[in-house]
Amino acid sequence: MMCSFGIASASIPKPALSPWTTTSKKFLTQPAPWNSGCVSTKFPSKLHRPFIQFQRYHIAACYKQHTCRQRLTCFQRSLIFTNCGGFKYWHLPGFLDDTSIEEKEDWLQNLLQDKEDLSDTEAYLVVLRSLATSTQPDAPMKAERWLRRLEARSVSNPDAPQPTTECYQRVIEAWGQATNEDPNLLITRTQRWLMKHLRNDNIDLRPDTACFNSFLDLCSKGRALKRAKATDGNLVKDHALKAEQTLRLMIFKRRKEGEDSSMAPNVNSFNFAIRAWTRCRRSPDIADRSISVLHLLENYEKTLDSSVRPNVKSYAMVMDSIAVVARLKVKRCQSMPKTVKNPSTNGLNEINLLQEVVSYMRNQASLGKHHLAPNGVIFNTLISCWSSLAKIHSHAPNESEKILQSMIRMKDMGENHTAPDATSYLMVMRTWLNSQQSIRAERISWWLSKQWKDYDFEGDEGLRPNTTTYNLVMRAWAEKGEPKRTEALLAELIGHSEKDRAGNLFPTSESYTLVIRAWLVLANRGDISGFETAAYWFYCLEARERDESGLVAPSEFYTLLLAAGRKCASQHPDILETAVKIFDLLRESHHRVDCLHYSSLLQIGLLALSRAEQNKVRQAFIDEIFKNCCEDGLVSSHFLQALANGPVYYDGWTVEESQRTLKRIIPCWPLPYTWTRNIRQKGFFPQRQELRRSNFVCSPHGKDPYKT
């Protein structure tokens, strides 16, 4: 037997029914005779209390199961707007958790229309909590409208529900989820709500620590970083200043109101302010600002609240800001080589400061402050700083290796919190890559094999090499001019991805492009095997793109392959077929065909079909490519120069044959507008003087005429 809403009756402790109630469904869907038109009901005797218990349990189970939406709507309208025994069902845990925001808003709207006097602040919070975690573009504005509605109701009727601190906090959190909004607008609106809440006359309704932390979290998310790349970056710094000012306001309130202050900052408040300053990656005073907030936290611990103390995260973010300053100094040294030997300008002072911070944390941990024991993140930050300095300091790779080896030793001695992870090995490899030393590829490969051995021994998934690690090793071998080693690593990566499809080892677009670039270096020297291998891997990447695997074949590689094909076409005429295939793939792709693609393909064809026995094939090729080029409106100056002033030979594609072909396909001047309608670059528009030949040097067949 099934109860209403599809819940098995066996799963609910069903009390015995009174003679006047025939079924539980009738009791649950129709008001009792004594309850008609009433809001709150008190049953006449203890005999009816089992009915209240069964009703509450059954309603909670129905909302938890959500077996039938149509009946659930009927259930909302028939039961949720009553207050049987003074019980409000939206106070139940998990109420409407599985419904959408629109359904929650409809429920609240119906509640306010039918039984407004029954609603309370918790009913509004059902909607506000859902909007606070939503990423819908209009979620913040919806949250503001519901809060304004609650405020207007409380002003007009003092006995009506009053907005609480959580209501304002949820509105601030809703703005924090608005990733597509203007960052300046986000901070301005959330600050307005926070200050409005702060000016409330009712002390009990003033913002608490959680409300302030929501605002600090929003200020420290760095939403303005993308915009800062196009501007002077002051927006990110303004947000950091607001975060620090808000933190100082919380400290002032705590100092003024004492221990009972609801706005007292906690360690997260200070960490949000430090994080806000770490977002200012271009500011030279980022380290000083972060350290000042850390000193503020240490002083707060000594003078106001000893329970609020710095943690490892606090020191890790400060160390990150110091590492950022070191990177900025390295960039300055690269442009000003004379400052490389000065420790105050080459980043060595920052490295020494980081090492002092690590030593301080270890000393504090040895004195009993175990919450300050440095973990893997602290040491990874130190290695990361050495990887930046490796560009100007040759001893940086050795120093990073020493840090990683010390992490392994401490872990073996029982300090598991210092255990290295995949990031530790990656940072050491990056240090070698940045050093530009001749043995960097070999050392990076050694550390990759070391990482695999440690992973197999420990069995810790956090040690397993990932795609980023393999791409870094492949880059090292590609820069050294070893395409075969690069290709072997890609094949190894593909093998790992096929064995474990749910893991974090899979080739990306960067993995394929690294191999393609490595082989194109040989192709540009006229090596046909390099061109064919690069084309093969490009076909693989393009096929993965068509399979919608998330990989993308960059448009620049169509251009690079055609340019490399021109280097090989004279000695290997068969390459024209591969070039045509690449060009056809470009036309079928989502990338735009450019006028340079047509001119490159034409040059390959003229070099590959230069002999006398290929006259008919060459003319057919020229007619076809010229027709397509005119239809696409991409007849450019480069295209005409390849025909009128390109390489010529003693037989086959001679000066006379070039001029006859040009007169045949371009009988008059000016050119029709449709032939050049899609030329975007101003310098690529064809000019009449480009039809005149100035190069009369005849090249031998089989030699690259473009080679200098």
Side-chain angles (χ1 to χ4, degrees), residues 398 432 435-445 480:
N398 297 327
W432 276 108
S435 68
Q436 298 297 316
Q437 296 187 25
S438 58
I439 61 171
R440 64 184 184 279
E442 289 80 2
R443 292 300 299 169
I444 291 174
S445 296
K480 194 173 182 179

Side-chain angles (χ1 to χ4, degrees), residues 127-142:
V127 177
L128 290 176
R129 290 188 189 114
S130 181
L131 291 170
T133 58
S134 173
T135 57
Q136 295 182 4
D138 58 343
M141 300 303 298
K142 286 182 178 180

Side-chain angles (χ1 to χ4, degrees), residues 88-273:
K88 298 179 180 179
Y89 299 102
W90 53 87
H91 289 254
L92 288 170
F95 179 80
L96 291 181
D97 277 354
D98 296 337
T99 58
S100 64
I101 294 177
E102 290 74 15
E103 291 173 319
K104 291 183 178 69
E105 288 186 304
D106 291 341
W107 165 80
L108 181 56
Q109 185 67 32
N110 293 331
L111 176 64
L112 296 177
Q113 289 178 357
D114 298 346
K115 300 290 183 180
E116 184 176 10
D117 54 345
L118 184 63
S119 63
D120 57 2
T121 306
E122 184 65 26
Y124 288 87
L125 283 172
V126 170
V127 177
L128 290 176
R129 290 188 189 114
S130 181
L131 291 170
T133 58
S134 173
T135 57
Q136 295 182 4
D138 58 343
M141 300 303 298
K142 286 182 178 180
E144 286 191 357
R145 284 196 294 267
W146 283 112
L147 181 54
R148 288 197 187 98
R149 188 168 177 177
L150 178 59
E151 287 179 334
R153 184 181 171 190
S154 63
V155 171
S156 61
N157 183 9
D159 297 330
Q162 300 292 322
T164 63
T165 298
E166 185 181 359
C167 297
Y168 291 93
Q169 178 184 346
R170 299 304 178 184
V171 173
I172 294 174
E173 291 176 356
W175 279 108
Q177 297 293 330
T179 57
N180 296 325
E181 292 287 346
D182 181 7
N184 199 24
L185 174 65
L186 294 178
I187 302 299
T188 302
R189 294 193 71 93
T190 52
Q191 188 177 24
R192 183 175 66 85
W193 280 107
L194 181 65
M195 293 298 106
K196 180 180 180 181
H197 189 25
L198 184 63
R199 291 190 295 267
N200 200 313
D201 296 333
N202 190 345
I203 298 179
D204 296 334
L205 294 180
R206 295 172 69 183
D208 57 4
T209 303
C211 192
F212 273 101
N213 283 353
S214 297
F215 175 72
L216 291 173
D217 182 25
L218 178 59
C219 290
S220 63
K221 284 184 176 179
R223 291 281 172 77
L225 285 176
K226 293 183 179 179
R227 176 164 299 198
K229 295 178 181 179
T231 61
D232 56 358
N234 288 333
L235 194 58
V236 184
K237 197 169 184 177
D238 290 343
H239 293 175
L241 285 172
K242 288 184 178 180
E244 184 173 343
Q245 292 170 359
T246 305
L247 175 63
R248 293 183 181 275
L249 175 62
M250 297 174 70
I251 297 174
F252 172 77
K253 293 292 184 181
R254 167 63 176 82
R255 196 182 302 274
K256 180 180 179 180
E257 300 175 2
E259 297 180 357
D260 297 332
S261 175
S262 62
M263 305 178 223
N266 54 23
V267 65
N268 291 331
S269 309
F270 289 92
N271 285 345
F272 285 139

